[in-house]
Amino acid sequence: YINGLANQYESETNSYATGHPSLPNYLELTSGTTYGITSDCNPGACGVTPSGPNLVDQLQAAGISWKAYFEDMPSSCYGADAGGSGGYVVRHDPFVYFPEITGSAECNNVVPSTSMISDMSSSSSPSFVWLSPSICDDAGGDAGCATMAAGDAYLSNLIPQIMNTSWYSNSGTIILNFDEGS
């Protein structure tokens, strides 16, 4: 399914992550820097607290509404792993590493993915939508369930749902990104 999307739409194959592991890639993607973090540490346990301009600041300054959704996240702005070895992992949620987000009302925009499709179908859907799947559905190989086949099946169900939302029909763009790979 993923290869079919790349063949039918666009494929940017000359894009590279900072390296391994995941968290530094997510921080760089949302703020332009890793803050010197080189591990998949939990918020508050990295030795440095990411603080400074980030994607949320840029969206807000431009007046662009946003929401970040996370599969298997137990509650808004949850800052630890949850759901066992195949569930939500905090290292794929860069938003909860920024105290400017977690210490403000913006934390209400970092939510479980259960309402994503209905939110994207509403007349007040956020303009910018971020989704991080659970470990089992991200095809990253971090757990026994995290195979390319599982990620492919997840996306073959999810992408058509997104394409049927008013968000997508009103010029929505889907970007599928892998945080690292070979």
Side-chain angles (χ1 to χ4, degrees):
Y1 183 78
I2 295 169
N3 289 337
L5 291 173
N7 289 332
Q8 183 175 356
Y9 298 101
E10 300 223 9
S11 179
E12 302 297 329
T13 58
N14 206 14
S15 175
Y16 300 95
T18 297
H20 186 77
S22 295
L23 177 60
N25 296 317
Y26 281 84
L27 292 172
E28 186 170 67
L29 185 62
T30 55
S31 68
T33 180
T34 66
Y35 300 92
I37 294 172
T38 59
S39 68
D40 283 336
C41 50
N42 285 338
C46 297
V48 63
T49 301
S51 184
N54 57 61
L55 177 63
V56 170
D57 297 327
Q58 292 178 3
L59 292 169
Q60 289 176 324
I64 298 171
S65 60
W66 68 278
K67 209 161 195 181
Y69 298 90
F70 298 89
E71 188 183 22
D72 292 340
M73 177 189 248
S75 60
S76 294
C77 241
Y78 197 78
D81 292 348
S85 63
Y88 165 81
V89 290
V90 72
R91 67 183 177 266
H92 291 175
D93 180 354
F95 303 94
V96 298
Y97 287 82
F98 292 93
E100 299 90 349
I101 296 171
T102 59
S104 73
E106 297 306 324
C107 218
N108 295 324
N109 288 354
V110 182
V111 299
S113 66
T114 51
S115 66
M116 186 181 82
I117 296 299
S118 62
D119 288 354
M120 293 174 79
S121 297
S122 78
S123 60
S124 60
S125 63
S127 295
F128 179 87
V129 175
W130 172 291
L131 170 67
S132 286
S134 71
I135 285 294
C136 280
D137 290 331
D138 76 357
D142 289 345
C145 58
T147 63
M148 282 302 297
D152 215 47
Y154 172 75
L155 290 173
S156 71
N157 178 51
L158 181 65
I159 298 289
Q161 290 182 62
I162 293 171
M163 292 175 117
N164 284 322
T165 66
S166 57
W167 174 88
Y168 186 76
S169 63
N170 290 322
S171 301
T173 300
I174 299 169
I175 299 172
L176 177 61
N177 185 47
F178 291 86
D179 70 279
E180 56 186 293
S182 56

